Amino acid sequence: MRFLLFFAALLMLSSSASAAPFLVAHRGASKEAPENTLPAFKLAWSQEADAIEGDFYLTKDGHIVCFHDRDTKKITGKKLVVAESTLADLQALDVGRLQGPSFAGTRMPILREVLATVPAGKKIYIEIKCGPEITPTLLAEVKQSRLRDDQVVIIAFDPAVIAAVKKAHPQWTANWLYSFENKLKNAAANDLPELLQKLKLIKADGLSTNSHPSLTKKDIGTLRSAGFQHHVWTIDDAKTARRFLEMGSQTVTTNRPGALRKALAP
């Protein structure tokens, strides 16, 4: 079995460099439109993104909203803690003001609205910013959307969220987010044994990491030969994106899906 997994990983690695890159739009096309908003997601689709990625919280009154920060101060100028606020209070805020007058009046979307933008054959990466308590509502919302299981990817930094989602709905892909913060040259190799144990424990499908310079083709090969995916974020330049794709990363998350698609074209 171990040999078969290793052989399968080698096949995937050899094919990944020649395949069209799979680009995930980070909070939508967030360099050109307000992050985590419907305009940003719709723009990403128009720029041929393969998937969109958004951040989601459960509100005080049980709705799932798309927003990155714990509170709204930086984006809206008014401080509300997202998890302690109602949907009505949050949607009264302007989340487009920082991107210029053409986006003034943009409102914080709910998960249902974001799911409705996903075309057939495309995917959504749902980053959970709160805890496992969101799981029942998340399941109900996605079910109502009628997206197929293979169109939904759950990601989170909290391993308890990944474990809860895989227990509740194992058909979804769920990838654990991990940031290599150590500045040492071999930071990734040092962390890898512990990461592999954690991935197995929480039944994650893969690891999604920052583009740390210590990551090597060997590290990514080790992950994939153990049966786990590898995904990388957040990359806007073609040189770095190409390096990770050649090392075996299966997707690249970017703020500029249209520009990066053109830059990576053969």
Side-chain angles (χ1 to χ4, degrees):
M1 176 61 77
R2 189 183 297 271
F3 174 77
L4 291 175
L5 285 172
F6 180 72
F7 182 69
L10 286 178
L11 287 176
M12 289 188 290
L13 285 168
S14 63
S15 63
S16 61
S18 59
F22 191 104
L23 301 184
V24 181
H26 183 236
R27 308 176 195 172
S30 54
K31 277 290 185 183
E32 300 168 69
E35 65 175 46
N36 282 318
T37 65
L38 296 181
F41 295 130
K42 291 175 181 178
L43 182 58
W45 296 131
S46 74
Q47 294 181 355
E48 300 183 9
D50 298 294
I52 55 172
E53 180 268 350
D55 305 288
F56 295 89
Y57 278 98
L58 188 67
T59 67
K60 180 181 178 180
D61 52 346
H63 297 275
I64 299 178
V65 291
C66 189
F67 200 76
H68 177 269
D69 296 350
R70 181 179 177 273
D71 68 67
T72 61
K73 177 68 174 178
K74 184 178 76 174
I75 299 294
T76 73
K78 180 178 180 180
K79 184 174 180 178
L80 292 179
V81 177
V82 178
E84 298 173 4
S85 303
T86 66
L87 176 63
D89 288 340
L90 293 168
Q91 290 194 323
L93 304 176
D94 184 344
V95 296
R97 68 185 189 96
L98 293 182
Q99 208 81 20
S102 63
F103 293 107
T106 302
R107 302 303 168 193
M108 190 183 302
I110 58 174
L111 175 60
R112 190 177 308 170
E113 293 172 314
V114 180
L115 295 174
T117 73
V118 182
K122 301 287 188 175
K123 295 188 178 187
I124 179 169
Y125 283 54
I126 300 173
E127 180 174 346
I128 304 303
K129 303 298 288 187
C130 53
E133 70 276 1
I134 198 174
T135 305
T137 307
L138 175 66
L139 287 165
E141 288 287 344
V142 177
K143 183 177 181 180
Q144 188 174 359
S145 77
R146 299 188 179 179
L147 290 180
R148 300 191 316 269
D149 285 337
D150 63 359
Q151 291 181 272
V152 178
V153 179
I154 307 300
I155 56 177
F157 282 99
D158 184 350
V161 170
I162 299 301
V165 167
K166 290 302 289 186
K167 182 178 180 179
H169 198 76
Q171 297 91 334
W172 285 345
T173 295
N175 297 324
W176 182 31
L177 296 170
Y178 186 82
S179 180
F180 294 103
E181 302 291 351
N182 195 313
K183 302 299 182 183
L184 294 176
K185 200 172 182 180
N186 58 347
N190 287 344
D191 290 357
L192 202 53
E194 185 177 342
L195 294 178
L196 285 168
Q197 289 183 2
K198 179 69 76 173
L199 289 165
K200 293 172 185 175
L201 180 66
I202 63 178
K203 301 187 186 305
D205 296 285
L207 185 71
S208 182
T209 72
N210 58 332
S211 55
H212 197 279
S214 71
L215 270 164
T216 66
K217 186 172 183 177
K218 180 180 178 182
D219 297 327
I220 294 173
T222 298
L223 268 170
R224 295 189 62 179
S225 65
F228 297 108
Q229 304 169 12
H230 182 263
H231 308 270
V232 65
W233 40 268
T234 302
I235 299 173
D236 291 340
D237 68 285
K239 181 179 179 181
T240 305
R242 194 172 285 114
R243 178 166 66 88
F244 274 89
L245 291 167
E246 289 173 351
M247 289 196 301
S249 298
Q250 288 150 282
T251 72
V252 173
T253 295
T254 178
N255 299 304
R256 306 169 65 238
L260 189 58
R261 175 77 68 199
K262 290 178 183 177
L264 290 173

